Amino acid sequence: MNKLAAVRLYFPHAAHARRSKFWHRLLPPSLGHFLLKSAHRAGIQQVLHHSVHAGYLPGNKLSVRTPEVSAPHHPSCIELIDIEHKLRDFIQQHAEELKQVRVVLHRCELLESISGD
């Protein structure tokens, strides 16, 4: 099954990836940055880190982003687009980092052209 799909990963802005290197003990990498780099290395076709202006994650209160600083629980979203089995493999390989992440899979239809008729 080589159907195009999109996976959206929702997590708190302040979430961190696991500490895999010595320097990560001092400053663990942000989960968003880690997922972007990991998806690029895995050859995922398209990855976007959406800028969330306002929203909330399950169990949290509403958060509105301000120019000064975002609350630690402010939502963040990474979207990956590729064939479904490749996205499922990526999710499985990063299961440890994604334990506290809401993962939503959307099956997609790629529109080749849109006519103005």
Side-chain angles (χ1 to χ4, degrees), residues 7-110:
V7 168
R8 285 189 154 211
L9 308 171
Y10 298 98
F11 52 93
H13 171 74
H16 293 286
R18 69 184 154 143
R19 298 171 173 136
S20 59
K21 297 178 183 177
F22 172 77
W23 292 110
H24 290 172
R25 292 182 202 172
L26 301 173
L27 184 62
S30 76
L31 184 58
H33 186 70
F34 171 81
L35 291 169
L36 281 169
K37 286 177 63 174
S38 297
H40 188 261
R41 278 195 300 266
I44 301 295
Q45 283 182 18
Q46 179 177 328
V47 181
L48 300 171
H49 190 166
H50 292 283
S51 178
V52 177
H53 298 286
Y56 61 91
L57 296 169
N60 289 328
K61 61 183 181 175
L62 178 65
S63 175
V64 178
R65 188 180 68 185
T66 61
E68 296 86 28
V69 66
S70 292
H73 64 272
H74 187 77
S76 200
C77 176
I78 299 278
E79 180 179 65
L80 300 94
I81 299 176
D82 209 319
I83 54 178
E84 186 175 340
H85 79 83
K86 195 169 182 181
L87 294 174
R88 288 184 182 276
D89 288 347
F90 180 84
I91 291 166
Q92 190 173 24
Q93 289 170 356
H94 295 90
E96 184 67 31
E97 286 84 10
L98 299 177
K99 281 183 179 177
Q100 302 299 317
V101 174
R102 178 168 269 196
V103 180
V104 179
L105 175 77
H106 302 275
R107 290 184 177 92
C108 303
E109 180 179 341
L110 186 61

